[in-house]
């Protein structure tokens, strides 16, 4: 096994229970909900979408760095001939997969069980499709800003504060309205990943959100890598 | 061929405003067992982390096995075996998994040697790391540090948390194993009785500075406690290399500890009082004299 493979293997195994639990929870809700039809399909899909976009990224982010800081196991890994950057990149890659997998599997189940039933298949794909980039961005923000937190709960709290700030920006919608010609652009939906969730937005708006969020994510990823390297070299 | 496997020059490390190391200079000869001693918080672990490239120094340089630690930290870590103090490993892995996982980072990993070592250390491959006892945990950490047959092994307080018997057994095993392999051992501890019987060289670190580094045998020979009956006019501060003075107010005898206790120095001391007897010191007492010696202030025996 090469060092990179070994890093992937370790992260995957370490996160295994988290993503299996997330996957099981999300899929059970979709399967049971759509099978029994206790609620309209729309409600079941939105509920599982909320879990995929908000809860799972938070849960995964708690396990990426904070768990290791809590258990003080990072020291061992850093003593091996591997750089902090390699560790960080692998952690984020596994985190991304762990966030994306439940949403993708849920969308497949929903399509098979309720495609074109109450909602069109395209709508179902779109909803879960929005959950993936939102979840990844949310996980990234939580990991980067909770890097110095020494417990998983402190990391979760950081994630919730981030979410609260985004929601606050959305509530202050009027402040961020921009008129370009005849089009009204809501900047709060561009600078926060909530823009991914706005199915009613025009294509230009959605594209702007994607571009701004991609750039922000890249800056955040790079900054996170620096923070992680500095954190591990600070000895604290 | 360089005769020193570790060369540290003017090493300064800071944690924010706190200066953890304030100019450490140290050379570790090849093939030696080098005891690195100091109180808790003296800077031992900081020195070791800097040696492994895990901390960035503010100033100074470190070379290990001829490599610049700051420029080639990965190469250094590939060639050095490191056992961290109170090492926390991944509890969810089995012994077999952690051995294979760590082995994959080292091109020179010797599986045959590791299997042999595992049998000797009586580690069960199927057991989860979280279920290992403290002693077994230390043994596993040692195995992982030695699996790639390093030329230099750094043990940072390796027996921390072990009971006295387990500590003795562990050390006996480590030293006999490593001496047979001709490996240089850099061994940090604050438990002096651990280091005294095994170390060829000793360095004493206090408040981020090396206050003494010498061969163990020379250190024992050169530091002496002299019991004297002092004159009324004596001034302890005139004694060169004075480490500690303790005066018994009842007998009026003074116990003075001096380094580099040459016959000339003894003659000089005898001008300050009558020499009653000379007492050799063990490493524990020498360390105490260097680190908390009062350098001439009177205190009761």
């Amino acid at each position: 096994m090469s060092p990179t493979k070994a890093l992937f293997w370790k992260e995957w195994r370490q996160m295994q229970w988290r993503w299996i639990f997330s996957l099981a929870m999300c899929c059970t809700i979709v399967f049971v909900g759509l099978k029994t039809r206790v609620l309209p399909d729309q409600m079941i899909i939105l509920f599982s979408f909320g879990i995929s976009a908000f809860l799972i990224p938070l849960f995964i982010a708690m396990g990426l760095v904070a768990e290791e800081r809590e258990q003080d196991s990072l020291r061992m890994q850093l003593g091996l001939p591997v750089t902090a950057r390699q560790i960080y990149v692998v952690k984020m890659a596994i985190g991304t997969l762990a966030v994306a997998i439940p949403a993708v599997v849920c969308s497949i189940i929903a399509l098979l069980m309720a495609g074109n039933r109450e909602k069109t298949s395209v709508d179902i794909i779109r909803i879960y499709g929005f959950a993936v980039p939102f979840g990844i961005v949310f996980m990234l923000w939580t990991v980067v800003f909770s890097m110095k937190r020494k417990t998983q709960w402190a990391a979760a709290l950081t994630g919730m504060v981030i979410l609260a700030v985004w929601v606050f920006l959305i509530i202050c919608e009027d402040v961020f309205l921009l008129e370009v010609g005849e089009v009204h652009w809501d900047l709060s939906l561009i600078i926060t990943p909530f823009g991914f969730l706005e199915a009613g937005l025009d294509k230009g708006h959605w594209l702007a959100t994607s571009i701004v969020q991609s750039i922000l994510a890249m800056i955040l990823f790079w900054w996170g890598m620096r923070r992680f390297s500095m954190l591990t070299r600070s000895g604290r | 061929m360089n005769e020193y496997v570790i060369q540290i020059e003017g090493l300064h490390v800071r944690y924010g405003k706190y200066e953890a190391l304030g100019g450490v200079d140290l050379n570790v000869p090849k093939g030696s067992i080098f005891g690195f001693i100091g109180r808790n918080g003296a800077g031992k672990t900081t020195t070791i982390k800097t040696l492994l490239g895990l901390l960035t120094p503010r100033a100074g340089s470190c070379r290990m096995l001829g490599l610049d630690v700051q420029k080639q930290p990965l190469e250094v870590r590939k060639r050095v075996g490191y056992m961290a103090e109170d090492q926390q490993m991944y509890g969810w892995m089995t012994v077999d998994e952690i051995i294979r996982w760590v082995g994959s980072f080292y091109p020179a990993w010797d599986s045959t040697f590791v299997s042999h070592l595992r049998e000797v250390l009586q580690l069960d491959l199927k057991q989860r790391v979280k279920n290992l006892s403290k002693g077994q945990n230390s043994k596993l950490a040692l195995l992982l540090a030695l699996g790639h047959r390093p030329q230099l092994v750094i043990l940072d307080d390796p027996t921390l948390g072990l009971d006295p018997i387990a500590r003795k057994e562990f050390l006996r095993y480590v030293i006999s194993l490593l001496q047979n392999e001709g490996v240089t051992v850099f061994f940090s501890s604050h438990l002096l009785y651990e280091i005294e019987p095994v170390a060829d060289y000793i360095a004493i670190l206090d408040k981020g500075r090396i206050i003494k580094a010498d061969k163990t045998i020379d250190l024992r020979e050169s530091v002496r406690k002299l019991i004297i009956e002092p004159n009324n006019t004596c001034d302890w501060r005139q004694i060169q290399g004075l480490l500690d003075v303790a005066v018994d107010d009842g007998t009026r005898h003074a116990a003075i500890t001096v380094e580099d206790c040459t016959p000339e120095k003894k003659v000089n001391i005898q001008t300050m009082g009558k020499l009653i007897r000379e007492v050799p010191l063990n490493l524990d007492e020498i360390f105490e004299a260097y680190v908390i010696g009062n350098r001439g202030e009177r205190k009761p025996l």
Side-chain angles (χ1 to χ4, degrees), chain B residues 181-215:
Chain B
E181 296 278 317
V183 173
T184 308
V185 184
F186 187 76
F187 180 6
S188 128
S189 181
H190 62 280
L191 301 171
L192 304 161
Y193 58 86
E194 271 188 7
I195 285 191
E196 187 166 19
V198 294
D200 307 322
Y201 291 82
I202 295 279
I204 300 173
L205 185 75
D206 188 41
K207 293 171 189 151
R209 285 179 176 83
I210 299 282
I211 51 174
K212 187 72 183 174
D214 210 341
K215 283 187 176 174

Side-chain angles (χ1 to χ4, degrees), chain B residues 39 204 206-207 211 223-225 236-237 241-247 255-259 281 283-300:
Chain B
R39 300 173 79 182
I204 300 173
D206 188 41
K207 293 171 189 151
I211 51 174
V223 181
R224 281 282 185 271
K225 183 187 269 186
W236 306 118
R237 283 166 297 184
L242 178 72
L243 298 173
D244 189 32
V245 182
V247 179
I256 60 170
T257 309
V258 283
E259 63 176 345
L281 298 175
L283 193 58
D284 213 356
E285 292 162 320
I286 293 171
F287 174 73
E288 200 179 312
Y290 271 105
V291 174
I292 56 166
N294 64 18
R295 309 289 196 275
E297 291 166 27
R298 283 168 183 254
K299 67 172 183 182

